[in-house]
Amino acid sequence: MLLELEFEIEPSNFTLAGEASSKIKETLKKLGVKPEILKKVAIVSYEAEMNIVIHSVGGILKAIISKDKIEVIAQDNGPGIEDIELAMKEGYSTAPEEIRNLGFGAGMGLPNMKKYSDYFEIDSQKGKGTRVYMIIYNK
């Protein structure tokens, strides 16, 4: 492993929302990661971070950077996802109206995470939270 970054994500804090994913992107840029890999990691980490901000009571966003891959892990404490299959559909959202009025919660978070990951795994338990594990290969 080259580097591990870990960020505490606050719930409902839209002022800080996006900072962790920006720091991950900046770090990868400094390490000379190719732009197309940088884009994928930036998208999945931002979407994961925003889901923690919008839907949970806080959590962790982690990036494990090694020579051949970048692992992005989002672990939140929250209500969990009731229907993962439904949540994976583009446009489906459980975000409250006030969040949507801020321009968030369009229902593209999980679909984008899956689309831009080379490997995607989600585990969610009602009342315990959600863990999303993604890999982007650095090739």
Side-chain angles (χ1 to χ4, degrees):
M1 182 185 70
L2 289 173
L3 188 59
E4 185 173 316
L5 305 171
E6 185 171 307
F7 303 92
E8 184 99 17
I9 308 300
E10 294 180 27
S12 303
N13 188 338
F14 291 94
T15 305
L16 294 178
E19 277 193 14
S21 48
S22 289
K23 287 177 182 170
I24 292 169
K25 182 181 176 184
E26 287 169 25
T27 301
L28 293 173
K29 203 172 192 177
K30 287 178 187 169
L31 292 171
V33 172
K34 292 184 223 166
E36 60 271 19
I37 303 300
L38 206 58
K39 178 185 172 184
K40 288 174 147 189
V41 175
I43 291 169
V44 304
S45 61
Y46 178 78
E47 295 287 14
E49 182 176 1
M50 291 311 297
N51 274 1
I52 293 171
V53 171
I54 294 168
H55 299 288
S56 78
V57 294
I60 301 285
L61 182 66
K62 187 187 293 191
I64 302 167
I65 304 158
S66 58
K67 186 177 171 133
D68 62 339
K69 67 184 175 186
I70 296 120
E71 298 165 88
V72 178
I73 302 152
Q75 174 74 52
D76 75 36
N77 306 307
I81 300 170
E82 210 155 305
D83 185 337
I84 292 175
E85 192 176 323
L86 185 57
M88 292 302 299
K89 290 187 191 301
E90 290 187 11
Y92 176 79
S93 178
T94 58
E97 192 66 33
E98 64 268 14
I99 302 296
R100 291 179 197 222
N101 289 338
L102 292 172
F104 302 105
M108 294 304 294
L110 289 172
N112 276 341
M113 285 183 245
K114 185 172 184 177
K115 178 180 178 180
Y116 290 99
S117 297
D118 295 311
Y119 176 82
F120 176 87
E121 179 182 286
I122 184 168
D123 179 44
S124 189
Q125 294 181 344
K126 199 169 166 132
K128 293 194 176 184
T130 302
R131 181 181 187 272
V132 181
Y133 175 73
M134 299 161 283
I135 298 174
I136 294 90
Y137 290 106
N138 192 13
K139 45 188 166 175

